[in-house]
Amino acid sequence: MNATATKDGDSGSTPDLDSFTAIDTGGRNPAGGVGLFIAIVAFSWSAFQLYVSSSLPFWLSEEYGINLVFNGSEVRVIHLAFAMALACLSYPLFKSSPAHRVPAYDWALAAGSVICCLYLVVFKDDIATRAGLPTTGDLLASAFGLVLLATAVFRSLGLPMLIVAGVFVLYVFFGDAQFLPDVVQWKGASFGKAMWHYWMQSEGVFGVALGVASSMIFLFVLFGALLEQAGAGNYFIQLAFGALGHFRGGPAKAAVVASALSGIYSGSSIANVVTTGTFTIPLMKRTGFSAEKAGAVEVASSTNGQLTPPVMGAAAFLIAEFTGISYPEVIKHALLPALISYIALVYIVHLEALKLDLTGLEKPPSHVTAMQKLIGFLFGFLAFVALGGIVYYGLGWIGRAFPGMTFVGAVAIFLLAYLILIVISARRQDLHMDDPSAPLITLPKTGEVALTGLYFLLPIIILLWCILIERLSPALSAFWASMAMIFIVLTQHPLKSLIRGRSHPDRISLASSVKLGFADFWAGMIGGARSMVPIGVATGVAGIIIGTVSLTGAHQVVGEFVEFLSGGSLIVMLLLVAVMSLLLGMGLPTTANYIVVSSLMAPVIVSVGAQQGLVVPLVAVHMFVFYFGILADDTPPVGLAAFAASAISGGDPIKTGLQGFAYDIRTALLPFLFIFNTELLLIDVTLGKAIFVFIVGVIAMMLFAAGTQGYFMARSKIWESVLLMLVAFTLFRPGFWLDQVQPPYENLPGTELVQLAEEQPVGEPLRLRIVGPDFDYPDKMASLTVLADLGEAGDGETRLENAGLVVVMDEEGATLEEPFPGTPFFQTLQMFDFYGDTLVRVETVQIPAERLYKEVFYIPALLVLGLVVWLQRRRQTKPAFFGNF
């Protein structure tokens, strides 16, 4: 779909929208040999990433002695070399720079970028022997490399990311300046030390973030680009509109679903807005939404797409790396909040449609009875279950019977399913995107649309199968999914050409279909690489931020600042972190956004929260800052997604951003809830409990949405909205009210520590409150709450030692010795001065108290909800839920 609605509703491409599209792919498209060269470089990057992710290098080495095996460090360097070179060639340096040719200085900058990166590969053996003693060549390569990286960041990401990184670099060199407050000063670093730290080792630019980008993120971005090029994006949009377009406010509801589906593989909220919004926003305006509200719905949908597993804007892999949990676990934790948030957004759209008294679009005539629809649905559901069973148990049996044949069996099942689905698709017309600004549109038939592209789901199934069932690494899973997608891209058109008869309206010759398949493959490989450029340079410059934090301990400074401002209030501390995450995330792509906010703000919640008694799983903390960083995409004044949507809708970008944030208040609520109620992240819950939490969470979020929108079954009075939000809060966090009645923990004195440690059940950590003199301020007493994992059963002292705590019991209680390096609490307890006059002690041991079930507070909440329903039904004028939903 290339049509874009302008302010007057005409079709055409607007410069504003083109500029937002350029954010992800670059604004320069030279013709002729230069354009072909850039395309070849981009294609080569994608081919290189597929090569190093496969077993081909090892096969070539074993069979033919060709040593083309690259280790992880070399892959990172080559990855960044490609990204920086393409940034110089694809992105103009200034607005006035030529867009249809590459000036000489950009060729020079691209060559310099490659030289500075490959310097680390060519001289890797010499560098390894120097160990922190850089030569003049090292310093020149490092300095020029950082400057060239800065120019690449400026081109592809703009000033915000460059300013943030620049502040950190200045802090490294001038952190000892006298004009800085004492609380933020540090000793500073020499030029040589900083350059070595940033460029010559794996603590800076070529650190963890770039490693995740080169090993995992690229493959997922490539997979998404191939999926989009094959036509899956159009398929998802048409499917959503066919299913939901006839409902009240249907185009807006379809926009939410289409963006959710696009979010499965999209790595950018801006790209999501541009691809789906060009179709959905004009249609929303046609049905009665204002320009700002139509854009805001698309913005809220697209930003939420970055929170949707399995990709989560390519940040899911970084979350797994930074928190130390497996990637499948990250998907599990992120699933429920994303589903709840999207369901609530559909409900918000429904409430807006009710307030505006909107109707849906014209539904195509159907001669299928309700019973036939039900039978068809049940048949499709059973067929899907049967196919899943065949795949699961069939592959499982093959794996047990023929251990070496699982791969062959998987390929055979994939080919069989693909051939069946491609035959079904070939008998129907291909999907063509309608012009959203046309005077009339007839919705497609959902069943027909679904059958035209079911084979697009096969690579997604392969991806999830490899990750969740086979437990392959994310990189290897994405590799096989990408290979499956490449096979589909190359063969879908030729196979349809062979199957279709001469009378079929969409039939093309076999030669043309083969050519079309290779053109799609070429475009998909290039599109994946060009989409990866901003992510590649972002993860590189984010390494500077991470490196600064590790070199200077900057997160401790931020933590002390937040602790001072919060005044000891846990909620105020979380609000401050949320606001700072919003500010830090403005103008940054998803991946860089997460790296920045997690590097600075996640340690603040962990350290300051622990001092105030808040101990939560690390993944909950990272999800908290990630959510608020993503919300920066629709938060004025930067809000790039809002500006992209307004370029399509013709609305005011600031108003669009404000309205989008108003819709996203429900998303902003979720992080606070799962910090205090980790069941929403499916942590330590059974399957039955998970289903119960999901149902309650959906109901609570819909009530919260109704409260904030001022409409439930009728227009709400202010006090009714307050009651609805109170009921929602109670359903989300009934433990809050229980804590007011009964304390959650029984505080036992530290003198009983050893005995309690011996009695603690295996697998349940022991909660300890530790007090002692502050290391930085010896006259001040610090406190900290920790969870000690005691391991296997045994005597108390042994179990405490296994947890990393050396305890000396005396008449006054339990005294702690300084933990040994490498033990779990070595870093955590560095805040205490173990050699002062006052000893560090375990003040209390907190044992969970025997209390009422927290769910008992659902009863008064439901009674209050019943009261609101009874009052509003008396004023209700139209069906609020099922009448033309």
Side-chain angles (χ1 to χ4, degrees):
M1 178 62 197
N2 298 318
T4 302
T6 64
K7 205 170 226 180
D8 299 324
D10 297 326
S11 177
S13 178
T14 68
D16 285 337
L17 184 57
D18 291 339
S19 67
F20 283 105
T21 305
I23 289 175
D24 288 311
T25 59
R28 182 182 285 154
N29 288 290
V34 174
L36 178 61
F37 176 78
I38 295 175
I40 290 174
V41 172
F43 184 92
S44 301
W45 190 14
S46 294
F48 169 76
Q49 294 288 162
L50 288 172
Y51 170 77
V52 297
S53 300
S54 70
S55 57
L56 184 59
F58 304 99
W59 181 78
L60 289 174
S61 178
E62 293 175 1
E63 294 293 328
Y64 300 101
I66 302 174
N67 187 15
L68 288 176
V69 179
F70 298 90
N71 61 40
S73 298
E74 293 169 337
V75 171
R76 296 180 190 187
V77 171
I78 296 172
H79 176 91
L80 187 62
F82 270 115
M84 291 172 63
L86 282 174
C88 294
L89 300 177
S90 302
Y91 291 80
L93 184 57
F94 304 106
K95 289 184 178 179
S96 58
S97 300
H100 301 294
R101 65 181 179 85
V102 181
Y105 62 82
D106 276 346
W107 286 109
L109 292 175
S113 300
V114 173
I115 290 171
C116 289
C117 288
L118 296 187
Y119 178 88
L120 298 174
V121 175
V122 175
F123 299 103
K124 62 181 180 180
D125 294 332
D126 294 335
I127 293 171
T129 62
R130 290 198 280 273
L133 299 173
T135 64
T136 302
D138 295 343
L139 295 178
L140 287 174
S142 302
F144 280 112
L146 289 175
V147 171
L148 292 170
L149 178 60
T151 63
V153 170
F154 175 72
R155 294 167 185 269
S156 56
L157 300 172
L159 273 176
M161 187 70 176
L162 188 60
I163 292 173
V164 172
V167 169
F168 279 85
V169 172
L170 289 175
Y171 181 64
V172 166
F173 289 116
F174 304 106
D176 58 345
Q178 295 302 313
F179 60 83
L180 292 176
D182 291 341
V183 71
V184 301
Q185 284 188 13
W186 85 294
K187 63 181 180 180
S190 66
F191 180 77
K193 180 178 181 180
M195 291 302 100
W196 185 273
H197 189 78
Y198 281 142
W199 194 263
M200 303 302 294
Q201 60 177 0
S202 60
E203 292 292 326
V205 171
F206 301 99
V208 173
L210 189 64
V212 174
S214 62
S215 63
M216 287 183 278
I217 294 177
F218 189 102
L219 292 174
F220 280 85
V221 171
L222 177 62
F223 173 71
L226 291 167
L227 199 61
E228 183 72 32
Q229 187 63 39
N234 180 24
Y235 173 70
F236 288 146
I237 292 173
Q238 296 257 25
L239 189 63
F241 269 84
L244 300 172
H246 62 285
F247 289 126
R248 191 187 297 273
K253 293 173 182 173
V256 175
V257 175
S259 293
L261 294 172
S262 298
I264 291 175
Y265 59 85
S266 173
S268 166
S269 55
I270 298 168
N272 207 331
V273 168
V274 172
T275 53
T276 62
T278 51
F279 186 71
T280 60
I281 290 175
L283 285 176
M284 283 189 271
K285 291 174 65 178
R286 283 192 56 231
T287 56
F289 281 82
S290 66
E292 286 76 19
K293 287 192 174 182
V297 169
E298 181 60 44
V299 167
S301 306
S302 298
T303 52
N304 275 223
Q306 303 306 287
L307 308 173
T308 305
V311 177
M312 298 170 65
F317 321 106
L318 289 166
I319 294 175
E321 191 73 25
F322 290 168
T323 60
I325 65 175
S326 67
Y327 174 67
E329 286 292 307
V330 173
I331 294 177
K332 184 185 79 171
H333 297 323
L335 180 61
L336 211 59
L339 285 176
I340 291 173
S341 185
Y342 263 117
I343 292 172
L345 183 56
V346 172
Y347 183 59
I348 286 175
V349 167
H350 177 67
L351 294 176
E352 288 284 10
L354 281 172
K355 288 189 284 186
L356 296 172
D357 200 21
L358 302 181
T359 58
L361 298 176
E362 179 183 352
K363 188 176 181 180
S366 176
H367 303 291
V368 180
T369 64
M371 182 57 68
Q372 289 174 322
K373 289 182 180 179
L374 179 61
I375 293 174
F377 172 79
L378 293 176
F379 177 79
F381 176 76
L382 292 175
F384 182 80
V385 172
L387 179 62
I390 291 172
V391 172
Y392 184 84
Y393 293 105
L395 286 179
W397 180 82
I398 292 173
R400 289 190 298 270
F402 306 99
M405 289 289 289
T406 303
F407 174 76
V408 176
V411 171
I413 292 175
F414 165 75
L415 291 175
L416 177 62
Y418 176 56
L419 288 174
I420 293 173
L421 295 177
I422 204 73
V423 168
I424 294 173
S425 175
R427 293 176 178 174
R428 290 158 178 82
Q429 292 188 22
D430 293 331
L431 294 178
H432 302 284
M433 186 73 81
D434 294 316
D435 186 349
S437 53
L440 182 65
I441 182 172
T442 301
L443 290 172
K445 294 182 179 180
T446 309
E448 288 296 309
V449 171
L451 294 175
T452 60
L454 283 176
Y455 59 90
F456 288 135
L457 301 180
L458 291 177
I460 299 175
I461 292 173
I462 289 174
L463 176 65
L464 297 178
W465 167 269
C466 291
I467 292 172
L468 301 177
I469 306 300
E470 291 295 323
R471 296 286 178 170
L472 300 181
S473 69
L476 191 56
S477 302
F479 170 78
W480 288 121
S482 297
M483 295 306 295
M485 199 63 240
I486 289 172
F487 178 78
I488 289 176
V489 167
L490 289 172
T491 60
Q492 62 171 338
H493 299 300
L495 287 175
K496 287 181 180 179
S497 177
L498 291 172
I499 295 169
R500 286 169 172 168
R502 294 183 179 275
S503 60
H504 196 285
D506 290 325
R507 186 182 184 276
I508 57 177
S509 67
L510 181 60
S512 298
S513 65
V514 171
K515 183 178 179 181
L516 182 58
F518 276 97
D520 284 345
F521 170 59
W522 173 261
M525 294 281 280
I526 294 171
R530 297 191 66 165
S531 296
M532 189 64 197
V533 170
I535 298 177
V537 296
T539 51
V541 78
I544 294 177
I545 297 171
I546 298 173
T548 301
V549 171
S550 65
L551 186 64
T552 66
H555 63 281
Q556 296 177 357
V557 174
V558 177
E560 291 178 1
F561 178 67
V562 170
E563 182 183 8
F564 170 75
L565 291 180
S566 64
S569 171
L570 198 57
I571 294 298
V572 173
M573 182 270 289
L574 291 174
L575 286 172
L576 286 171
V577 170
V579 172
M580 294 178 77
S581 297
L582 278 173
L583 294 174
L584 288 169
M586 286 184 176
L588 302 183
T590 301
T591 312
N593 187 323
Y594 167 70
I595 293 171
V596 172
V597 297
S598 64
S599 300
L600 280 178
M601 305 315 302
V604 173
I605 298 179
V606 173
S607 60
V608 179
Q611 294 175 40
Q612 300 176 19
L614 175 67
V615 181
V616 294
L618 191 58
V619 67
V621 174
H622 280 254
M623 290 284 287
F624 181 95
V625 297
F626 177 56
Y627 263 58
F628 280 103
I630 292 302
L631 289 178
D633 278 349
D634 61 13
T635 305
V638 179
L640 294 180
F643 276 83
S646 65
I648 301 171
S649 69
D652 181 89
I654 300 298
K655 291 181 180 178
T656 301
L658 290 172
Q659 185 65 61
F661 188 78
Y663 290 154
D664 269 340
I665 288 177
R666 79 204 187 286
T667 307
L669 174 69
L670 280 170
F672 287 95
L673 294 172
F674 57 58
I675 281 287
F676 294 104
N677 183 9
T678 56
E679 289 178 349
L680 287 170
L681 297 179
L682 299 181
I683 295 176
D684 296 330
V685 296
T686 61
L687 177 60
K689 181 69 172 181
I691 295 172
F692 177 76
V693 169
F694 171 68
I695 294 172
V696 173
V698 169
I699 295 172
M701 188 55 78
M702 291 174 70
L703 293 175
F704 179 80
T708 55
Q709 294 300 307
Y711 198 105
F712 184 37
M713 307 184 77
R715 290 191 181 274
S716 300
K717 298 176 182 179
I718 295 178
W719 62 270
E720 290 176 331
S721 294
V722 172
L723 286 179
L724 287 173
M725 288 190 282
L726 184 63
V727 171
F729 174 77
T730 303
L731 294 178
F732 267 126
R733 199 186 166 214
F736 173 82
W737 303 112
L738 183 57
D739 290 346
Q740 310 308 310
V741 179
Q742 294 177 308
Y745 298 103
E746 181 182 353
N747 293 316
L748 301 178
T751 53
E752 302 180 22
L753 173 61
V754 174
Q755 178 183 349
L756 293 171
E758 183 175 342
E759 296 173 353
Q760 187 74 356
V762 175
E764 293 187 14
L766 194 62
R767 185 181 176 99
L768 310 175
R769 184 71 174 171
I770 301 172
V771 296
D774 191 293
F775 182 82
D776 296 318
Y777 308 97
D779 295 334
K780 175 184 173 183
M781 294 296 289
S783 61
L784 187 69
T785 302
V786 300
L787 295 178
D789 186 2
L790 302 176
E792 299 298 325
D795 64 88
E797 288 188 2
T798 302
R799 299 188 75 187
L800 288 168
E801 288 180 7
N802 293 337
L805 296 173
V806 180
V807 180
V808 177
M809 300 300 297
D810 55 29
E811 295 179 356
E812 297 182 10
T815 300
L816 284 183
E817 299 287 343
E818 184 177 17
F820 294 109
T823 56
F825 293 104
F826 176 69
Q827 291 293 337
T828 306
L829 299 184
Q830 289 298 301
M831 62 181 291
F832 293 109
D833 181 5
F834 285 90
Y835 302 100
D837 294 332
T838 305
L839 300 177
V840 181
R841 294 183 175 278
V842 176
E843 183 181 52
T844 56
V845 181
Q846 298 179 336
I847 303 297
E850 293 185 5
R851 306 193 296 170
L852 294 171
Y853 288 108
K854 61 184 180 181
E855 288 79 11
V856 74
F857 288 93
Y858 288 164
I859 297 174
L862 294 176
L863 291 176
V864 173
L865 176 61
L867 173 64
V868 175
V869 169
W870 178 72
L871 291 171
Q872 292 209 355
R873 278 189 61 86
R874 300 165 65 185
R875 307 195 306 270
Q876 186 176 355
T877 57
K878 49 182 171 283
F881 297 104
F882 301 108
N884 190 26
F885 176 83

